[in-house]
């Protein structure tokens, strides 16, 4: 059976997803307390994928039958070519790009305008409706910058999703956050809520939950260190990448990593009703 046919079957059986993830860089302008990758402004090893590598990998992913792309980090927009690279990738496959939305100057927003014509969403992190609470999780002035960026993106016709990472927020706080994103015209379907995963910096701080075997849907994830089982896999502790969820050091051609990934997920339980507690 071809790699494409094997992937299609695995997706239909609920063993894995058809989204390929790319870790664009581990460099970030923030240093969130629950960060999976110990990303921060002064990170020594940025583990950056070049624009050429990302675009080539996405083209290969389309040929192999992957249906969508996810891009994360670090902060994608630390890369000077991020806007143009996103536009190229989204012209190949539907894309969601994760960002903290704190670097969106008017100049950068204007460079993002072509995304309005493409199948792409920017998924923006926002953890509370209260500036002080949100900024305690994420960094000074984070809330104010996000509050400015989201309407500016929506005015340009760019699709926005909200991602909330939950550690100690109250139900009332989360409900108020939903009122806020609805006021921007962002629906509940475009609001992702998940708990802190106890990996990376969160593990060192004793935060969050340790995921079980079926808590996270396997989705092939490519980084500068190799291919991993899902986007919560390539975590970092004390500057060293965790390898417990490594699929393959070889990521080019992508088919080799995909074949190894599909062999591993063949042990996953069958059924789209399998409990997945972390998105």
């Amino acid at each position: 059976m071809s790699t494409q046919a094997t992937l299609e079957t695995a997706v239909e059986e609920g063993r894995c997803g058809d989204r390929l993830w790319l870790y664009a860089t581990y460099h970030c302008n923030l240093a969130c307390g629950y960060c999976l990758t110990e990303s921060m402004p002064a990170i020594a090893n940025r583990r950056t994928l070049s624009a050429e590598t990302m675009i080539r990998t996405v083209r290969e992913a389309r040929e192999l039958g992957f249906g969508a792309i996810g891009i994360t980090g670090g902060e994608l927009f630390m890369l000077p070519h991020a806007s143009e690279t996103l536009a190229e990738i989204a012209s190949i496959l539907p894309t969601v790009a994760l960002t903290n939305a704190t670097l969106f100057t008017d100049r950068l927003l204007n460079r993002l305008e072509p995304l309005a014509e493409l199948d792409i969403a920017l998924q923006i992190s926002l953890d509370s409706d209260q500036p002080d609470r949100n900024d305690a999780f994420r960094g000074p002035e984070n809330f104010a910058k996000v509050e400015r960026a989201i309407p500016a993106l929506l005015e340009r016709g760019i699709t926005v999703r909200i991602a909330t990472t939950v550690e100690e927020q109250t139900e009332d706080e989360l409900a108020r956050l939903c009122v806020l994103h609805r006021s921007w015209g962002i629906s509940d379907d475009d609001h992702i809520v998940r708990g802190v995963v106890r990996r990376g910096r969160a593990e060192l701080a004793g935060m969050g939950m340790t995921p079980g075997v079926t808590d996270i849907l396997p989705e092939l994830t490519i980084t500068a260190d190799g291919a991993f089982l899902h986007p919560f896999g390539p975590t970092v502790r004390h500057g060293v990448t965790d390898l417990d969820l490594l699929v393959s050091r070889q990521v080019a051609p992508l088919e080799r990593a995909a074949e190894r990934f599909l062999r591993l997920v063949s042990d996953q339980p069958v059924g789209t009703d399998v409990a997945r507690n972390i998105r």
Side-chain angles (χ1 to χ4, degrees), residues 113-119 156-157:
E113 289 181 357
L115 301 185
E117 306 301 322
L118 298 167
D119 191 351
R156 288 166 168 80

Side-chain angles (χ1 to χ4, degrees), residues 45-174:
N45 185 356
R46 296 182 179 181
R47 298 176 175 85
T48 298
L49 296 175
S50 69
E52 294 77 10
T53 295
M54 288 192 283
I55 293 168
R56 185 196 69 237
T57 302
V58 172
R59 288 192 176 119
E60 291 181 31
R62 180 180 60 185
E63 295 303 312
L64 291 172
F66 286 90
I69 299 296
I71 303 177
T72 185
E75 171 53 42
L76 168 64
F77 289 98
M78 297 293 281
L79 302 177
H81 58 74
S83 303
E84 293 73 24
T85 302
L86 276 182
E88 181 70 20
I89 288 172
S91 72
I92 301 168
L93 282 173
T95 301
V96 59
L98 280 55
T99 176
N100 59 42
T102 62
L103 299 174
F104 290 164
T105 62
D106 288 343
R107 181 180 179 184
L108 178 53
L109 286 165
N110 291 337
R111 288 171 59 196
L112 290 172
E113 289 181 357
L115 301 185
E117 306 301 322
L118 298 167
D119 191 351
I120 184 171
L122 297 185
Q123 182 169 302
I124 295 173
S125 300
L126 190 64
D127 291 342
S128 176
D129 70 309
Q130 302 175 54
D132 290 347
R133 289 274 289 164
N134 179 81
D135 294 355
F137 294 123
R138 305 193 51 78
E141 300 184 13
N142 177 270
F143 183 92
K145 292 176 181 177
V146 170
E147 190 178 37
R148 287 195 299 270
I150 290 175
L153 290 165
L154 294 172
E155 287 169 7
R156 288 166 168 80
I158 297 169
T159 301
V160 174
R161 302 171 71 190
I162 301 295
T164 300
T165 302
V166 177
E167 174 65 4
E168 56 186 38
Q169 294 95 321
T170 66
E171 289 298 322
D172 285 346
E173 189 173 3
L174 293 174

